[in-house]
mmCIF file of all heavy atoms in Angstrom:
data_model
loop_
_atom_site.group_PDB
_atom_site.id
_atom_site.type_symbol
_atom_site.label_atom_id
_atom_site.label_comp_id
_atom_site.label_asym_id
_atom_site.label_seq_id
_atom_site.Cartn_x
_atom_site.Cartn_y
_atom_site.Cartn_z
ATOM 1 N N ASP A 242 9.463 -22.894 2.350
ATOM 2 C CA ASP A 242 9.767 -22.099 3.541
ATOM 3 C C ASP A 242 8.543 -21.372 4.050
ATOM 4 O O ASP A 242 8.428 -20.158 4.004
ATOM 5 C CB ASP A 242 10.892 -21.105 3.222
ATOM 6 C CG ASP A 242 12.079 -21.812 2.618
ATOM 7 O OD1 ASP A 242 12.552 -22.756 3.258
ATOM 8 O OD2 ASP A 242 12.491 -21.436 1.528
ATOM 9 N N GLY A 247 3.746 -11.934 8.863
ATOM 10 C CA GLY A 247 4.882 -11.276 8.218
ATOM 11 C C GLY A 247 4.541 -10.066 7.377
ATOM 12 O O GLY A 247 5.442 -9.374 6.915
ATOM 13 N N ARG A 278 3.914 -13.890 0.625
ATOM 14 C CA ARG A 278 3.910 -14.834 -0.492
ATOM 15 C C ARG A 278 4.318 -16.226 -0.056
ATOM 16 O O ARG A 278 4.202 -17.194 -0.802
ATOM 17 C CB ARG A 278 4.864 -14.334 -1.586
ATOM 18 C CG ARG A 278 6.316 -14.288 -1.161
ATOM 19 C CD ARG A 278 7.245 -13.645 -2.178
ATOM 20 N NE ARG A 278 7.084 -12.189 -2.228
ATOM 21 C CZ ARG A 278 8.100 -11.365 -2.517
ATOM 22 N NH1 ARG A 278 9.315 -11.804 -2.782
ATOM 23 N NH2 ARG A 278 7.893 -10.065 -2.525
ATOM 24 N N TYR A 353 6.192 -2.667 -2.527
ATOM 25 C CA TYR A 353 7.612 -2.653 -2.880
ATOM 26 C C TYR A 353 7.945 -2.014 -4.222
ATOM 27 O O TYR A 353 9.081 -1.601 -4.438
ATOM 28 C CB TYR A 353 8.179 -4.093 -2.830
ATOM 29 C CG TYR A 353 8.519 -4.506 -1.426
ATOM 30 C CD1 TYR A 353 7.708 -5.323 -0.684
ATOM 31 C CD2 TYR A 353 9.679 -3.991 -0.801
ATOM 32 C CE1 TYR A 353 8.010 -5.679 0.614
ATOM 33 C CE2 TYR A 353 9.993 -4.325 0.487
ATOM 34 C CZ TYR A 353 9.156 -5.161 1.210
ATOM 35 O OH TYR A 353 9.483 -5.473 2.488
ATOM 36 N N ASP A 356 9.537 2.203 -7.388
ATOM 37 C CA ASP A 356 10.254 2.864 -8.514
ATOM 38 C C ASP A 356 9.445 2.792 -9.802
ATOM 39 O O ASP A 356 9.960 3.134 -10.855
ATOM 40 C CB ASP A 356 11.634 2.234 -8.687
ATOM 41 C CG ASP A 356 11.564 0.713 -8.881
ATOM 42 O OD1 ASP A 356 10.496 0.131 -8.597
ATOM 43 O OD2 ASP A 356 12.569 0.133 -9.303
ATOM 44 N N GLN B 369 13.681 -14.114 3.537
ATOM 45 C CA GLN B 369 12.336 -14.171 2.981
ATOM 46 C C GLN B 369 11.658 -12.832 3.159
ATOM 47 O O GLN B 369 12.106 -11.983 3.947
ATOM 48 C CB GLN B 369 11.521 -15.272 3.720
ATOM 49 C CG GLN B 369 11.981 -16.667 3.359
ATOM 50 C CD GLN B 369 11.164 -17.750 4.049
ATOM 51 O OE1 GLN B 369 11.552 -18.231 5.085
ATOM 52 N NE2 GLN B 369 10.034 -18.129 3.472
ATOM 53 N N ASN B 374 10.228 -7.425 5.701
ATOM 54 C CA ASN B 374 9.227 -6.620 6.364
ATOM 55 C C ASN B 374 9.580 -6.356 7.841
ATOM 56 O O ASN B 374 9.375 -5.261 8.351
ATOM 57 C CB ASN B 374 7.848 -7.291 6.284
ATOM 58 C CG ASN B 374 7.253 -7.209 4.888
ATOM 59 O OD1 ASN B 374 7.694 -6.420 4.061
ATOM 60 N ND2 ASN B 374 6.266 -8.023 4.612
ATOM 61 N N GLU B 378 10.162 -2.765 9.784
ATOM 62 C CA GLU B 378 9.532 -2.369 11.048
ATOM 63 C C GLU B 378 10.582 -1.913 12.049
ATOM 64 O O GLU B 378 10.365 -0.902 12.756
ATOM 65 C CB GLU B 378 8.766 -3.551 11.652
ATOM 66 C CG GLU B 378 7.410 -3.791 11.008
ATOM 67 C CD GLU B 378 6.760 -5.064 11.550
ATOM 68 O OE1 GLU B 378 7.229 -5.594 12.578
ATOM 69 O OE2 GLU B 378 5.785 -5.482 10.949
ATOM 70 N N GLU B 405 14.189 -4.820 -2.621
ATOM 71 C CA GLU B 405 13.609 -6.110 -2.241
ATOM 72 C C GLU B 405 13.850 -7.168 -3.315
ATOM 73 O O GLU B 405 14.029 -8.342 -3.014
ATOM 74 C CB GLU B 405 12.104 -5.937 -1.963
ATOM 75 C CG GLU B 405 11.351 -7.198 -1.606
ATOM 76 C CD GLU B 405 10.744 -7.891 -2.817
ATOM 77 O OE1 GLU B 405 10.515 -7.230 -3.834
ATOM 78 O OE2 GLU B 405 10.514 -9.103 -2.737
ATOM 79 N N ARG B 406 13.889 -6.728 -4.568
ATOM 80 C CA ARG B 406 14.074 -7.682 -5.678
ATOM 81 C C ARG B 406 15.416 -8.404 -5.609
ATOM 82 O O ARG B 406 15.558 -9.505 -6.117
ATOM 83 C CB ARG B 406 13.948 -6.971 -7.008
ATOM 84 C CG ARG B 406 12.507 -6.500 -7.270
ATOM 85 C CD ARG B 406 12.418 -5.546 -8.452
ATOM 86 N NE ARG B 406 11.275 -4.651 -8.268
ATOM 87 C CZ ARG B 406 11.284 -3.358 -8.603
ATOM 88 N NH1 ARG B 406 12.348 -2.805 -9.124
ATOM 89 N NH2 ARG B 406 10.227 -2.625 -8.393
#
Side-chain angles (χ1 to χ4, degrees):
Chain A
D242 307 306
R278 64 187 74 148
Y353 279 103
D356 54 346
Chain B
Q369 288 180 266
N374 287 343
E378 281 175 12
E405 178 267 338
R406 291 168 208 141

